[in-house]
Amino acid sequence: MIPPPKLRLLDVTVTFRARHGALVPAIDRLSLDVADREIVSIVGPSGCGKSTLLRLVAGLVRPSSGEIRLDGHVVAEPGADRGMVFQSYTLFPWLTVQGNVEFGPRLRGMPDRHCRDVASRFIEIVGLAGFERAYPKELSGGMMQRVAIARALANDPEVLLMDEPFGALDAQTRVFMQELLLDIWEKTPKTILFVTHDIDEALFLGDRVYVMTARPGRLRDEVVLALPRPRTLEIETSEAFLAAKRRVLAMVREEAQRTTPEPSRLRA
Amino acid sequence: MSLARTGGAIARRRRGPLSEVLRPQEAIPRRTYLRILTTSAAALIAAWCVLTYGRLVAPLFLPSPTAVLATGVAMAQDGTLLQNAQASLLVIVTGWALAVLAGVPVGVLMGSFKAVEALIEPVIDFVRYLPVSALIPLLILYIGIGPAEKIAVIFIGTFFQLVLLVADVAAHVPHEQLDVAYTLGASRSQVIRRVLLPATLPGVMDTLRITMGWAWTYLVVAELVSADRGLGFMILDSMRGLFTDRIFVGLAVIGGLGLCFDLVFKWLHRVLLPWSPKA
Ligand SMILES: Nc1ncnc2c1ncn2[C@@H]1O[C@H](COP(=O)(O)OP(=O)(O)OP(=O)(O)O)[C@@H](O)[C@H]1O
Ligand SMILES: [Mg+2]
């Protein structure tokens, strides 16, 4: 028997109203099922609606039509069960690293002791031990993003929505964070939607890679990755990985060309 | 971000000292800053000395530094200075504080809720362009010429500007900071108390400093129109007797007090909001 999906997007359309009144379709009749504890990577050209898709699941954007269900219940508003790491820097500048990471537990009125323990655990995990009392203005961009990740994880959501979370990190830290994320996932499995521009990252992390079309975004195709877990960097040279990469790359290229004119035409 | 900035300094080509100092938005050494600052102040005083001791300007128009200093000491000793400064300070602090107590909450509401904005914008946009000085006759008619009238002048002059400035601060709190709080499970009231309000603090602090500066203008205007004490009155009274040196003492005290307030606000900003990018 197939288990019911953890998360189900059914025929979701999102239309924004631009300032001059024109309707801008961002997502067009998109359907997606995500199983419990599955990691789905989402790739697609810039502006195709990836962030909007995550915001839909978070409950921050309402679909114009269609519906989103989590465990069978319609998602109507944001909640602590769906944590999000945003594409831009969203730390609270008035709180220290510690204060930011324990923000969620504190909201729920957890005792001080518990908050502190949870915070120091996740600060340690993202490699920022010793920076507990630093304010965001004293951190580099990559460090801030790691705090944002720790903040989302410390709240222990069932679904983790990650919007290019490692985009600001250098290559080494990025690989380190990818392995870390998988490590955390092995220990406390969560359902993860992971948006990225980096195809290697999408393939390394995901059970499936979901390729979106150019705006308005819908499903172009999905590539299921039958790669063993726990994953190690060696799989990036495996035949299965490379074959999947070729497929995804070809689709992404094609979609990207639909948004940007070909270079030859630009010159003319 | 700050890390990247200092890193860039190393690779930079060596240029002349002037070009080193005149790089947009770049920090300069504290010693260089102080040197420029003292040079500027010294030049101003030197010009004053040349004009007065060199008898290029009559003392009636510009008294010499020593004359102003002597008059200042005398006025401090006979109590005029203290009495007038006290009167002015009482009025300005009361009027300004009332405007802050009323204006900050209204401003935050106006900047955060479109409905509140629509509700009060017509009133505020209208009153804001009325110079307070135009309202003084009306206020005298209503309240009389005592301290209460001056407090009202400062309140009205400050309140409306303050509301608009604070509303702007609140409206510019990054929306994603509110969003992230919602996804961490915050309720609407938690988002307001724990995210929106703290996020506005640096901007509100700046607004307090700026409006305090304006409050001095309104105070002096009010005191010039009608008063029997206060620094503005003191200046007007000195003019009637052609005591230019006393006018200058009055100006120096107003400027000095204004400077003190400014420094106190900057200090408070550093101490109370150490996390603010400006601290
Ligand atoms: N609040 C909004 N109002 C109007 N249009 C919007 C709004 N938010 C997004 N859009 C539009 O919807 C489309 C999708 O935006 P979205 O941010 O989801 O793209 P994205 O795939 O995340 O892009 P990127 O890869 O550059 O982050 C864009 O064309 C954008 O202009
Ligand atoms: Mg995006």
PDB file of all heavy atoms in Angstrom, chain A residues 55 60 79 82 86 88 90-94 103 107 135 137 151 155, chain B residues 3 176-177 179-180 183-184 186 190 194-195 198-199 274-276 279:
ATOM      1  N   ARG A  55       6.981  29.510  -0.176  1.00  0.00           N
ATOM      2  CA  ARG A  55       6.139  30.403   0.637  1.00  0.00           C
ATOM      3  C   ARG A  55       4.696  29.896   0.704  1.00  0.00           C
ATOM      4  O   ARG A  55       4.009  30.106   1.697  1.00  0.00           O
ATOM      5  CB  ARG A  55       6.192  31.827   0.080  1.00  0.00           C
ATOM      6  CG  ARG A  55       7.585  32.456   0.182  1.00  0.00           C
ATOM      7  CD  ARG A  55       7.660  33.784  -0.540  1.00  0.00           C
ATOM      8  NE  ARG A  55       6.843  34.789   0.134  1.00  0.00           N
ATOM      9  CZ  ARG A  55       7.294  35.531   1.137  1.00  0.00           C
ATOM     10  NH1 ARG A  55       8.525  35.406   1.555  1.00  0.00           N
ATOM     11  NH2 ARG A  55       6.503  36.396   1.727  1.00  0.00           N
ATOM     12  N   LEU A  60       2.684  31.477   3.773  1.00  0.00           N
ATOM     13  CA  LEU A  60       2.891  32.925   3.695  1.00  0.00           C
ATOM     14  C   LEU A  60       2.240  33.520   2.454  1.00  0.00           C
ATOM     15  O   LEU A  60       2.030  34.725   2.375  1.00  0.00           O
ATOM     16  CB  LEU A  60       4.396  33.241   3.686  1.00  0.00           C
ATOM     17  CG  LEU A  60       5.152  32.870   4.966  1.00  0.00           C
ATOM     18  CD1 LEU A  60       6.659  32.934   4.743  1.00  0.00           C
ATOM     19  CD2 LEU A  60       4.742  33.777   6.116  1.00  0.00           C
ATOM     20  N   GLY A  79       2.902  28.090  10.346  1.00  0.00           N
ATOM     21  CA  GLY A  79       2.945  27.399  11.627  1.00  0.00           C
ATOM     22  C   GLY A  79       4.332  26.836  11.876  1.00  0.00           C
ATOM     23  O   GLY A  79       5.136  26.693  10.940  1.00  0.00           O
ATOM     24  N   ARG A  82       6.174  23.958   9.878  1.00  0.00           N
ATOM     25  CA  ARG A  82       6.856  24.168   8.595  1.00  0.00           C
ATOM     26  C   ARG A  82       7.876  25.296   8.745  1.00  0.00           C
ATOM     27  O   ARG A  82       7.524  26.465   8.729  1.00  0.00           O
ATOM     28  CB  ARG A  82       5.856  24.540   7.499  1.00  0.00           C
ATOM     29  CG  ARG A  82       5.032  23.370   6.991  1.00  0.00           C
ATOM     30  CD  ARG A  82       3.675  23.827   6.545  1.00  0.00           C
ATOM     31  NE  ARG A  82       2.852  24.223   7.677  1.00  0.00           N
ATOM     32  CZ  ARG A  82       2.072  25.306   7.689  1.00  0.00           C
ATOM     33  NH1 ARG A  82       2.000  26.090   6.639  1.00  0.00           N
ATOM     34  NH2 ARG A  82       1.370  25.603   8.766  1.00  0.00           N
ATOM     35  N   PHE A  86      15.224  31.375   4.580  1.00  0.00           N
ATOM     36  CA  PHE A  86      14.971  32.273   3.457  1.00  0.00           C
ATOM     37  C   PHE A  86      16.214  32.502   2.610  1.00  0.00           C
ATOM     38  O   PHE A  86      17.343  32.309   3.055  1.00  0.00           O
ATOM     39  CB  PHE A  86      14.438  33.618   3.965  1.00  0.00           C
ATOM     40  CG  PHE A  86      13.029  33.543   4.469  1.00  0.00           C
ATOM     41  CD1 PHE A  86      12.742  32.938   5.680  1.00  0.00           C
ATOM     42  CD2 PHE A  86      11.981  34.062   3.725  1.00  0.00           C
ATOM     43  CE1 PHE A  86      11.437  32.850   6.141  1.00  0.00           C
ATOM     44  CE2 PHE A  86      10.678  33.987   4.174  1.00  0.00           C
ATOM     45  CZ  PHE A  86      10.410  33.379   5.387  1.00  0.00           C
ATOM     46  N   SER A  88      17.212  35.416   1.487  1.00  0.00           N
ATOM     47  CA  SER A  88      17.944  36.608   1.921  1.00  0.00           C
ATOM     48  C   SER A  88      18.245  36.497   3.418  1.00  0.00           C
ATOM     49  O   SER A  88      17.756  35.620   4.097  1.00  0.00           O
ATOM     50  CB  SER A  88      17.089  37.843   1.652  1.00  0.00           C
ATOM     51  OG  SER A  88      15.835  37.691   2.282  1.00  0.00           O
ATOM     52  N   THR A  90      17.795  37.005   7.092  1.00  0.00           N
ATOM     53  CA  THR A  90      16.605  37.336   7.878  1.00  0.00           C
ATOM     54  C   THR A  90      16.846  37.215   9.374  1.00  0.00           C
ATOM     55  O   THR A  90      15.908  37.069  10.143  1.00  0.00           O
ATOM     56  CB  THR A  90      15.446  36.386   7.528  1.00  0.00           C
ATOM     57  OG1 THR A  90      15.921  35.052   7.683  1.00  0.00           O
ATOM     58  CG2 THR A  90      14.941  36.595   6.127  1.00  0.00           C
ATOM     59  N   LEU A  91      18.112  37.268   9.801  1.00  0.00           N
ATOM     60  CA  LEU A  91      18.347  37.201  11.249  1.00  0.00           C
ATOM     61  C   LEU A  91      17.771  38.438  11.911  1.00  0.00           C
ATOM     62  O   LEU A  91      17.677  39.506  11.302  1.00  0.00           O
ATOM     63  CB  LEU A  91      19.844  37.126  11.539  1.00  0.00           C
ATOM     64  CG  LEU A  91      20.544  35.839  11.130  1.00  0.00           C
ATOM     65  CD1 LEU A  91      21.962  35.836  11.676  1.00  0.00           C
ATOM     66  CD2 LEU A  91      19.793  34.621  11.616  1.00  0.00           C
ATOM     67  N   PHE A  92      17.396  38.294  13.182  1.00  0.00           N
ATOM     68  CA  PHE A  92      16.929  39.440  13.947  1.00  0.00           C
ATOM     69  C   PHE A  92      18.155  40.170  14.495  1.00  0.00           C
ATOM     70  O   PHE A  92      18.848  39.623  15.346  1.00  0.00           O
ATOM     71  CB  PHE A  92      16.014  38.986  15.082  1.00  0.00           C
ATOM     72  CG  PHE A  92      14.847  38.168  14.620  1.00  0.00           C
ATOM     73  CD1 PHE A  92      14.610  36.892  15.111  1.00  0.00           C
ATOM     74  CD2 PHE A  92      13.975  38.680  13.659  1.00  0.00           C
ATOM     75  CE1 PHE A  92      13.528  36.142  14.672  1.00  0.00           C
ATOM     76  CE2 PHE A  92      12.893  37.940  13.212  1.00  0.00           C
ATOM     77  CZ  PHE A  92      12.677  36.667  13.722  1.00  0.00           C
ATOM     78  N   PRO A  93      18.430  41.381  14.007  1.00  0.00           N
ATOM     79  CA  PRO A  93      19.701  42.033  14.382  1.00  0.00           C
ATOM     80  C   PRO A  93      19.805  42.371  15.864  1.00  0.00           C
ATOM     81  O   PRO A  93      20.904  42.548  16.365  1.00  0.00           O
ATOM     82  CB  PRO A  93      19.731  43.302  13.516  1.00  0.00           C
ATOM     83  CG  PRO A  93      18.345  43.483  13.020  1.00  0.00           C
ATOM     84  CD  PRO A  93      17.682  42.153  13.013  1.00  0.00           C
ATOM     85  N   TRP A  94      18.670  42.477  16.567  1.00  0.00           N
ATOM     86  CA  TRP A  94      18.720  42.860  17.978  1.00  0.00           C
ATOM     87  C   TRP A  94      18.963  41.664  18.896  1.00  0.00           C
ATOM     88  O   TRP A  94      19.094  41.825  20.100  1.00  0.00           O
ATOM     89  CB  TRP A  94      17.443  43.577  18.401  1.00  0.00           C
ATOM     90  CG  TRP A  94      16.209  42.756  18.169  1.00  0.00           C
ATOM     91  CD1 TRP A  94      15.600  41.927  19.054  1.00  0.00           C
ATOM     92  CD2 TRP A  94      15.458  42.685  16.966  1.00  0.00           C
ATOM     93  NE1 TRP A  94      14.515  41.333  18.471  1.00  0.00           N
ATOM     94  CE2 TRP A  94      14.395  41.782  17.184  1.00  0.00           C
ATOM     95  CE3 TRP A  94      15.576  43.293  15.707  1.00  0.00           C
ATOM     96  CZ2 TRP A  94      13.476  41.480  16.194  1.00  0.00           C
ATOM     97  CZ3 TRP A  94      14.650  42.975  14.734  1.00  0.00           C
ATOM     98  CH2 TRP A  94      13.621  42.088  14.985  1.00  0.00           C
ATOM     99  N   PHE A 103      14.887  31.500  19.343  1.00  0.00           N
ATOM    100  CA  PHE A 103      13.684  32.309  19.168  1.00  0.00           C
ATOM    101  C   PHE A 103      12.412  31.450  19.154  1.00  0.00           C
ATOM    102  O   PHE A 103      11.431  31.766  19.832  1.00  0.00           O
ATOM    103  CB  PHE A 103      13.792  33.119  17.868  1.00  0.00           C
ATOM    104  CG  PHE A 103      12.699  34.124  17.671  1.00  0.00           C
ATOM    105  CD1 PHE A 103      12.796  35.385  18.214  1.00  0.00           C
ATOM    106  CD2 PHE A 103      11.557  33.815  16.939  1.00  0.00           C
ATOM    107  CE1 PHE A 103      11.792  36.321  18.044  1.00  0.00           C
ATOM    108  CE2 PHE A 103      10.544  34.740  16.758  1.00  0.00           C
ATOM    109  CZ  PHE A 103      10.670  35.997  17.306  1.00  0.00           C
ATOM    110  N   LEU A 107       9.343  31.300  21.957  1.00  0.00           N
ATOM    111  CA  LEU A 107       7.962  31.661  21.617  1.00  0.00           C
ATOM    112  C   LEU A 107       6.980  30.713  22.278  1.00  0.00           C
ATOM    113  O   LEU A 107       5.899  31.101  22.696  1.00  0.00           O
ATOM    114  CB  LEU A 107       7.745  31.592  20.103  1.00  0.00           C
ATOM    115  CG  LEU A 107       8.268  32.718  19.232  1.00  0.00           C
ATOM    116  CD1 LEU A 107       7.982  32.392  17.786  1.00  0.00           C
ATOM    117  CD2 LEU A 107       7.635  34.033  19.612  1.00  0.00           C
ATOM    118  N   TYR A 135      26.460  39.573  17.818  1.00  0.00           N
ATOM    119  CA  TYR A 135      25.288  40.088  17.113  1.00  0.00           C
ATOM    120  C   TYR A 135      25.466  39.849  15.615  1.00  0.00           C
ATOM    121  O   TYR A 135      26.595  39.797  15.127  1.00  0.00           O
ATOM    122  CB  TYR A 135      25.122  41.581  17.386  1.00  0.00           C
ATOM    123  CG  TYR A 135      24.559  41.883  18.747  1.00  0.00           C
ATOM    124  CD1 TYR A 135      25.332  42.501  19.721  1.00  0.00           C
ATOM    125  CD2 TYR A 135      23.249  41.529  19.062  1.00  0.00           C
ATOM    126  CE1 TYR A 135      24.818  42.767  20.982  1.00  0.00           C
ATOM    127  CE2 TYR A 135      22.730  41.782  20.314  1.00  0.00           C
ATOM    128  CZ  TYR A 135      23.513  42.408  21.271  1.00  0.00           C
ATOM    129  OH  TYR A 135      22.996  42.652  22.502  1.00  0.00           O
ATOM    130  N   LYS A 137      25.431  41.712  13.154  1.00  0.00           N
ATOM    131  CA  LYS A 137      26.278  42.671  12.430  1.00  0.00           C
ATOM    132  C   LYS A 137      27.766  42.322  12.529  1.00  0.00           C
ATOM    133  O   LYS A 137      28.570  42.861  11.786  1.00  0.00           O
ATOM    134  CB  LYS A 137      26.025  44.095  12.928  1.00  0.00           C
ATOM    135  CG  LYS A 137      26.611  44.408  14.291  1.00  0.00           C
ATOM    136  CD  LYS A 137      26.624  45.923  14.543  1.00  0.00           C
ATOM    137  CE  LYS A 137      27.200  46.240  15.906  1.00  0.00           C
ATOM    138  NZ  LYS A 137      27.238  47.658  16.201  1.00  0.00           N
ATOM    139  N   ARG A 151      18.609  28.234  13.412  1.00  0.00           N
ATOM    140  CA  ARG A 151      17.358  28.733  13.984  1.00  0.00           C
ATOM    141  C   ARG A 151      16.171  27.899  13.513  1.00  0.00           C
ATOM    142  O   ARG A 151      15.283  27.548  14.300  1.00  0.00           O
ATOM    143  CB  ARG A 151      17.161  30.205  13.569  1.00  0.00           C
ATOM    144  CG  ARG A 151      15.866  30.816  14.045  1.00  0.00           C
ATOM    145  CD  ARG A 151      15.798  32.289  13.715  1.00  0.00           C
ATOM    146  NE  ARG A 151      15.834  32.522  12.272  1.00  0.00           N
ATOM    147  CZ  ARG A 151      15.843  33.729  11.710  1.00  0.00           C
ATOM    148  NH1 ARG A 151      15.822  34.805  12.477  1.00  0.00           N
ATOM    149  NH2 ARG A 151      15.879  33.870  10.412  1.00  0.00           N
ATOM    150  N   ASN A 155      13.949  24.705  15.947  1.00  0.00           N
ATOM    151  CA  ASN A 155      12.507  24.726  16.167  1.00  0.00           C
ATOM    152  C   ASN A 155      11.872  23.372  15.855  1.00  0.00           C
ATOM    153  O   ASN A 155      10.673  23.192  16.032  1.00  0.00           O
ATOM    154  CB  ASN A 155      11.877  25.822  15.291  1.00  0.00           C
ATOM    155  CG  ASN A 155      10.669  26.444  15.929  1.00  0.00           C
ATOM    156  OD1 ASN A 155      10.579  26.501  17.151  1.00  0.00           O
ATOM    157  ND2 ASN A 155       9.732  26.893  15.121  1.00  0.00           N
TER     158      ASN A 155
ATOM    159  N   LEU B   3      33.572  42.594   7.170  1.00  0.00           N
ATOM    160  CA  LEU B   3      34.815  41.870   6.934  1.00  0.00           C
ATOM    161  C   LEU B   3      35.334  42.143   5.540  1.00  0.00           C
ATOM    162  O   LEU B   3      36.509  42.434   5.341  1.00  0.00           O
ATOM    163  CB  LEU B   3      34.583  40.361   7.097  1.00  0.00           C
ATOM    164  CG  LEU B   3      34.234  39.898   8.511  1.00  0.00           C
ATOM    165  CD1 LEU B   3      34.013  38.398   8.509  1.00  0.00           C
ATOM    166  CD2 LEU B   3      35.356  40.265   9.464  1.00  0.00           C
ATOM    167  N   GLU B 176      10.515  40.206   5.472  1.00  0.00           N
ATOM    168  CA  GLU B 176      10.906  38.815   5.673  1.00  0.00           C
ATOM    169  C   GLU B 176      11.230  38.503   7.129  1.00  0.00           C
ATOM    170  O   GLU B 176      11.163  37.351   7.544  1.00  0.00           O
ATOM    171  CB  GLU B 176      12.072  38.475   4.754  1.00  0.00           C
ATOM    172  CG  GLU B 176      11.532  38.191   3.367  1.00  0.00           C
ATOM    173  CD  GLU B 176      12.581  37.983   2.320  1.00  0.00           C
ATOM    174  OE1 GLU B 176      13.748  38.333   2.579  1.00  0.00           O
ATOM    175  OE2 GLU B 176      12.218  37.501   1.243  1.00  0.00           O
ATOM    176  N   GLN B 177      11.563  39.542   7.906  1.00  0.00           N
ATOM    177  CA  GLN B 177      11.774  39.286   9.334  1.00  0.00           C
ATOM    178  C   GLN B 177      10.450  38.917  10.004  1.00  0.00           C
ATOM    179  O   GLN B 177      10.418  38.077  10.895  1.00  0.00           O
ATOM    180  CB  GLN B 177      12.385  40.519  10.014  1.00  0.00           C
ATOM    181  CG  GLN B 177      13.871  40.627   9.727  1.00  0.00           C
ATOM    182  CD  GLN B 177      14.531  41.780  10.435  1.00  0.00           C
ATOM    183  OE1 GLN B 177      13.914  42.489  11.220  1.00  0.00           O
ATOM    184  NE2 GLN B 177      15.796  41.980  10.149  1.00  0.00           N
ATOM    185  N   ASP B 179       7.974  37.474   8.299  1.00  0.00           N
ATOM    186  CA  ASP B 179       7.651  36.155   7.747  1.00  0.00           C
ATOM    187  C   ASP B 179       8.378  35.044   8.488  1.00  0.00           C
ATOM    188  O   ASP B 179       7.803  34.008   8.795  1.00  0.00           O
ATOM    189  CB  ASP B 179       8.031  36.111   6.259  1.00  0.00           C
ATOM    190  CG  ASP B 179       7.019  36.836   5.394  1.00  0.00           C
ATOM    191  OD1 ASP B 179       5.919  37.138   5.906  1.00  0.00           O
ATOM    192  OD2 ASP B 179       7.326  37.111   4.223  1.00  0.00           O
ATOM    193  N   VAL B 180       9.651  35.272   8.740  1.00  0.00           N
ATOM    194  CA  VAL B 180      10.423  34.214   9.392  1.00  0.00           C
ATOM    195  C   VAL B 180       9.871  33.959  10.793  1.00  0.00           C
ATOM    196  O   VAL B 180       9.800  32.814  11.251  1.00  0.00           O
ATOM    197  CB  VAL B 180      11.933  34.543   9.383  1.00  0.00           C
ATOM    198  CG1 VAL B 180      12.357  35.369  10.563  1.00  0.00           C
ATOM    199  CG2 VAL B 180      12.748  33.271   9.361  1.00  0.00           C
ATOM    200  N   THR B 183       6.918  31.696  10.502  1.00  0.00           N
ATOM    201  CA  THR B 183       7.253  30.286  10.241  1.00  0.00           C
ATOM    202  C   THR B 183       7.897  29.638  11.464  1.00  0.00           C
ATOM    203  O   THR B 183       8.029  28.425  11.504  1.00  0.00           O
ATOM    204  CB  THR B 183       8.204  30.121   9.040  1.00  0.00           C
ATOM    205  OG1 THR B 183       9.450  30.742   9.354  1.00  0.00           O
ATOM    206  CG2 THR B 183       7.639  30.713   7.785  1.00  0.00           C
ATOM    207  N   LEU B 184       8.323  30.449  12.426  1.00  0.00           N
ATOM    208  CA  LEU B 184       8.827  29.859  13.667  1.00  0.00           C
ATOM    209  C   LEU B 184       7.692  29.671  14.668  1.00  0.00           C
ATOM    210  O   LEU B 184       7.924  29.269  15.805  1.00  0.00           O
ATOM    211  CB  LEU B 184       9.930  30.735  14.263  1.00  0.00           C
ATOM    212  CG  LEU B 184      11.252  30.745  13.474  1.00  0.00           C
ATOM    213  CD1 LEU B 184      12.156  31.858  13.935  1.00  0.00           C
ATOM    214  CD2 LEU B 184      11.959  29.400  13.595  1.00  0.00           C
ATOM    215  N   ALA B 186       5.264  32.127  15.500  1.00  0.00           N
ATOM    216  CA  ALA B 186       4.805  33.311  16.229  1.00  0.00           C
ATOM    217  C   ALA B 186       3.366  33.654  15.859  1.00  0.00           C
ATOM    218  O   ALA B 186       2.971  33.538  14.701  1.00  0.00           O
ATOM    219  CB  ALA B 186       5.712  34.494  15.935  1.00  0.00           C
ATOM    220  N   GLN B 190       2.677  38.196  18.888  1.00  0.00           N
ATOM    221  CA  GLN B 190       4.097  37.936  19.142  1.00  0.00           C
ATOM    222  C   GLN B 190       4.971  38.579  18.080  1.00  0.00           C
ATOM    223  O   GLN B 190       6.043  39.103  18.383  1.00  0.00           O
ATOM    224  CB  GLN B 190       4.356  36.424  19.183  1.00  0.00           C
ATOM    225  CG  GLN B 190       3.964  35.793  20.512  1.00  0.00           C
ATOM    226  CD  GLN B 190       4.137  34.288  20.496  1.00  0.00           C
ATOM    227  OE1 GLN B 190       3.866  33.627  19.485  1.00  0.00           O
ATOM    228  NE2 GLN B 190       4.562  33.735  21.614  1.00  0.00           N
ATOM    229  N   ARG B 194       7.623  41.021  19.436  1.00  0.00           N
ATOM    230  CA  ARG B 194       8.988  40.503  19.465  1.00  0.00           C
ATOM    231  C   ARG B 194       9.792  40.814  18.216  1.00  0.00           C
ATOM    232  O   ARG B 194      11.001  40.579  18.189  1.00  0.00           O
ATOM    233  CB  ARG B 194       8.959  38.996  19.643  1.00  0.00           C
ATOM    234  CG  ARG B 194       8.295  38.630  20.941  1.00  0.00           C
ATOM    235  CD  ARG B 194       8.727  37.263  21.354  1.00  0.00           C
ATOM    236  NE  ARG B 194       7.999  36.850  22.524  1.00  0.00           N
ATOM    237  CZ  ARG B 194       8.410  35.865  23.323  1.00  0.00           C
ATOM    238  NH1 ARG B 194       9.514  35.243  23.043  1.00  0.00           N
ATOM    239  NH2 ARG B 194       7.704  35.538  24.369  1.00  0.00           N
ATOM    240  N   VAL B 195       9.135  41.243  17.140  1.00  0.00           N
ATOM    241  CA  VAL B 195       9.876  41.516  15.916  1.00  0.00           C
ATOM    242  C   VAL B 195       9.674  42.962  15.464  1.00  0.00           C
ATOM    243  O   VAL B 195      10.629  43.730  15.364  1.00  0.00           O
ATOM    244  CB  VAL B 195       9.473  40.547  14.783  1.00  0.00           C
ATOM    245  CG1 VAL B 195      10.260  40.837  13.524  1.00  0.00           C
ATOM    246  CG2 VAL B 195       9.702  39.106  15.224  1.00  0.00           C
ATOM    247  N   PRO B 198      10.985  45.758  18.306  1.00  0.00           N
ATOM    248  CA  PRO B 198      12.438  45.886  18.417  1.00  0.00           C
ATOM    249  C   PRO B 198      13.089  46.349  17.113  1.00  0.00           C
ATOM    250  O   PRO B 198      14.064  47.101  17.140  1.00  0.00           O
ATOM    251  CB  PRO B 198      12.916  44.486  18.814  1.00  0.00           C
ATOM    252  CG  PRO B 198      11.744  43.609  18.861  1.00  0.00           C
ATOM    253  CD  PRO B 198      10.514  44.436  18.753  1.00  0.00           C
ATOM    254  N   ALA B 199      12.534  45.903  15.985  1.00  0.00           N
ATOM    255  CA  ALA B 199      13.143  46.276  14.709  1.00  0.00           C
ATOM    256  C   ALA B 199      13.073  47.782  14.460  1.00  0.00           C
ATOM    257  O   ALA B 199      13.899  48.332  13.740  1.00  0.00           O
ATOM    258  CB  ALA B 199      12.475  45.520  13.560  1.00  0.00           C
ATOM    259  N   PRO B 274      23.293  48.313  21.286  1.00  0.00           N
ATOM    260  CA  PRO B 274      24.643  47.974  20.820  1.00  0.00           C
ATOM    261  C   PRO B 274      24.619  47.138  19.539  1.00  0.00           C
ATOM    262  O   PRO B 274      25.605  47.085  18.823  1.00  0.00           O
ATOM    263  CB  PRO B 274      25.226  47.160  21.986  1.00  0.00           C
ATOM    264  CG  PRO B 274      24.052  46.630  22.717  1.00  0.00           C
ATOM    265  CD  PRO B 274      22.977  47.661  22.570  1.00  0.00           C
ATOM    266  N   TRP B 275      23.468  46.535  19.253  1.00  0.00           N
ATOM    267  CA  TRP B 275      23.375  45.676  18.083  1.00  0.00           C
ATOM    268  C   TRP B 275      23.107  46.451  16.807  1.00  0.00           C
ATOM    269  O   TRP B 275      23.242  45.943  15.712  1.00  0.00           O
ATOM    270  CB  TRP B 275      22.252  44.673  18.286  1.00  0.00           C
ATOM    271  CG  TRP B 275      20.956  45.316  18.721  1.00  0.00           C
ATOM    272  CD1 TRP B 275      20.555  45.518  20.003  1.00  0.00           C
ATOM    273  CD2 TRP B 275      19.939  45.853  17.881  1.00  0.00           C
ATOM    274  NE1 TRP B 275      19.328  46.142  20.004  1.00  0.00           N
ATOM    275  CE2 TRP B 275      18.928  46.360  18.725  1.00  0.00           C
ATOM    276  CE3 TRP B 275      19.771  45.950  16.497  1.00  0.00           C
ATOM    277  CZ2 TRP B 275      17.784  46.966  18.224  1.00  0.00           C
ATOM    278  CZ3 TRP B 275      18.629  46.549  16.005  1.00  0.00           C
ATOM    279  CH2 TRP B 275      17.657  47.052  16.872  1.00  0.00           C
ATOM    280  N   SER B 276      22.696  47.706  16.946  1.00  0.00           N
ATOM    281  CA  SER B 276      22.325  48.494  15.777  1.00  0.00           C
ATOM    282  C   SER B 276      23.545  48.754  14.901  1.00  0.00           C
ATOM    283  O   SER B 276      24.622  49.014  15.411  1.00  0.00           O
ATOM    284  CB  SER B 276      21.699  49.805  16.239  1.00  0.00           C
ATOM    285  OG  SER B 276      21.839  50.780  15.248  1.00  0.00           O
ATOM    286  N   ALA B 279      25.481  51.762  15.880  1.00  0.00           N
ATOM    287  CA  ALA B 279      26.073  51.902  17.211  1.00  0.00           C
ATOM    288  C   ALA B 279      27.585  51.716  17.151  1.00  0.00           C
ATOM    289  O   ALA B 279      28.092  51.021  16.295  1.00  0.00           O
ATOM    290  CB  ALA B 279      25.459  50.908  18.170  1.00  0.00           C
TER     291      ALA B 279
END
